[in-house]
Amino acid sequence: AVLGQLTGWVGDGAAWLLRQVAEAIDSTTTIDLSAPWFERHYAFMFQAGAILLLPLLLLTVLQALVRQDAGLLIRAAFLHLPAAMLLTGLAVTVTQTALAVTDALSAELTRGVAADTDTLATTLTTASAVGGPIPLFASFLLALVMALAALFVWFELILRAGVVYVAVMFLPLFLATMIWPALSGWVRRLVQLIVAAILSKLVIVATLSLGLSAFTSGDGPSALLAGAGMFLLAAFSPFVLVSLVPLAAGV
């Protein structure tokens, strides 16, 4: 009886926590690159990147002279230099647009998460009742795992917002390195990190939504276990996405 009450308590707590996470995903993890405090720092990095353009161009000229490679000099002066300047001016706009699209898609999924949390505690109570498909202690563990995974995902999304802010702030410096071939790979790695960070929110929310739908579907122990497993996958999905984005870029 005590374990049953404890399971119901943890189930209610998990449902409440999931509702708070669903609301916090939209309210506390939104990234605003047009905020004045961010624009000041981006403007400083923009100026620093502009200062770096001339030294890097001179290094590229010296490298082209040493190698006697006229094509390197032409690409740096007429391709990489204009591209660096253009991309620096468009970086914030393009990133903000990608974030807006991701946030809109994630908002549709978080509404489903908020709706499914209403039946989470009932699903746990029914599944662990006498004659239910899973033991009472297993229901307690599942509720605890889902609550901890949801909390970890929320912190992960907050860190994701910080990663996007910092990466975009340093983007003008990295775009300036496009001119010098020895450093041109830096900007590609930074852009891959930004893309992975932007998409991670959609992947996390979609995995949470699918896992919660499976958990509350009432299709038996396999669906319950699969739903709990998806909650754990949602917590580790950004790390998988970071490793997959470079592979996709290389295809």
Side-chain angles (χ1 to χ4, degrees):
V2 173
L3 188 58
Q5 292 178 356
L6 187 60
T7 302
W9 175 71
V10 174
D12 291 336
W16 177 86
L17 184 59
L18 283 171
R19 282 193 294 270
Q20 301 309 310
V21 169
E23 295 175 0
I25 284 174
D26 293 330
S27 61
T28 62
T29 63
T30 301
I31 301 172
D32 183 14
L33 298 180
S34 61
W37 58 268
F38 178 80
E39 289 182 340
R40 289 195 302 271
H41 289 78
Y42 187 82
F44 173 80
M45 290 298 175
F46 185 93
Q47 295 171 1
I51 294 173
L52 281 177
L53 288 176
L54 182 58
L56 291 174
L57 183 59
L58 293 177
L59 288 173
T60 305
V61 171
L62 291 175
Q63 184 176 354
L65 293 175
V66 171
R67 294 184 178 181
Q68 296 183 353
D69 186 356
L72 177 62
L73 182 59
I74 293 174
R75 288 193 300 271
F78 298 101
L79 178 61
H80 296 155
L81 179 59
M85 298 173 62
L86 179 63
L87 292 175
T88 301
L90 295 177
V92 172
T93 303
V94 172
T95 306
Q96 192 67 59
T97 302
L99 288 169
V101 174
T102 304
D103 289 341
L105 295 174
S106 300
E108 293 294 328
L109 294 170
T110 52
R111 278 194 281 269
V113 171
D116 287 336
T117 52
D118 296 333
T119 60
L120 175 61
T122 305
T123 301
L124 286 170
T125 303
T126 304
S128 59
V130 177
I134 60 176
L136 188 60
F137 184 68
S139 296
F140 169 74
L141 290 179
L142 287 176
L144 188 61
V145 166
M146 293 181 69
L148 292 177
L151 187 61
F152 182 76
V153 162
W154 182 31
F155 284 121
E156 202 170 42
L157 288 172
I158 294 176
L159 290 177
R160 170 248 187 193
V163 168
V164 173
Y165 278 125
V166 174
V168 175
M169 181 185 67
F170 281 100
L171 193 55
L173 292 179
F174 281 73
L175 286 172
T177 63
M178 292 176 57
I179 301 174
W180 194 21
L183 303 178
S184 59
W186 290 12
V187 64
R188 182 176 65 253
R189 297 187 184 94
L190 184 63
V191 170
Q192 290 172 352
L193 176 62
I194 294 174
V195 171
I198 292 174
L199 295 179
S200 63
K201 181 177 181 178
L202 180 60
V203 174
I204 289 173
V205 175
T207 306
L208 280 179
S209 179
L210 182 62
L212 190 58
S213 297
F215 196 88
T216 58
S217 63
D219 291 341
S222 60
L224 290 173
L225 295 175
M230 290 178 200
F231 267 65
L232 294 177
L233 286 176
F236 294 100
S237 58
F239 304 102
V240 178
L241 191 61
V242 168
S243 61
L244 288 179
V245 168
L247 294 177
V251 174

